[in-house]
Amino acid sequence: MSDHPVPEAASPEPVGQPAQPAQSAQSAPTTPGRLSGLKRFGGFLLAILVFFLFRAFTADDGTHGIKTGECIASVGTDDFKKVDCGDSTSLGSVTFVEKNAPTDETSALALCSKHGAANAFTSATSDGGAGTIICVADPK
């Protein structure tokens, strides 16, 4: 026999419980619920963001690109388009364009009368009746 003490055998893990690996102090636990939710809905959220950015950059301000001095014609009951001033469908020439103005009939006609026009086209938005007013003088 030897004079050296014999080391005791390491005690085995309790039966039925898996061995747990030691966590290093540098690794932080992750939140798989948040990451998987982000992965699952990230594309959808990105698509919504792209849609709203597209609408913001392509939204019509109500003028359809019409400028003072150009002529317009009616399209349907509530829209208009640019036409040649000699066109038989011309309603007249645009004398003034105002954005973000009150679009009720009284306010629109009062604004247009100040700018030599008897007619007004409006495009109301959801801002409580604010929108674009296009003043149109009768054709000559």
Side-chain angles (χ1 to χ4, degrees), residues 63-68 70-72 80-82 94 97 134:
T63 64
H64 302 297
I66 303 291
K67 298 178 192 106
T68 301
E70 296 178 333
C71 291
I72 61 172
F80 57 90
K81 66 179 179 179
K82 177 182 169 183
V94 175
V97 176
I134 297 178

Side-chain angles (χ1 to χ4, degrees), residues 3-100:
D3 290 333
H4 298 298
V6 178
E8 289 184 28
S11 62
E13 292 290 325
V15 177
Q17 293 182 355
Q20 298 291 326
Q23 270 190 331
S24 70
Q26 294 175 350
S27 67
T30 61
T31 55
R34 288 184 185 170
L35 291 178
S36 67
L38 182 60
K39 287 179 185 177
R40 181 179 302 143
F41 296 111
F44 178 71
L45 294 174
L46 181 62
I48 290 174
L49 177 64
V50 168
F51 171 76
F52 283 115
L53 287 174
F54 176 77
R55 293 281 297 175
F57 289 114
T58 61
D60 182 18
D61 64 359
T63 64
H64 302 297
I66 303 291
K67 298 178 192 106
T68 301
E70 296 178 333
C71 291
I72 61 172
S74 181
V75 176
T77 58
D78 62 350
D79 205 3
F80 57 90
K81 66 179 179 179
K82 177 182 169 183
V83 296
D84 184 63
C85 291
D87 190 311
S88 63
T89 62
S90 174
L91 298 174
S93 64
V94 175
T95 61
F96 187 73
V97 176
E98 179 75 28
K99 297 179 184 177
N100 298 318

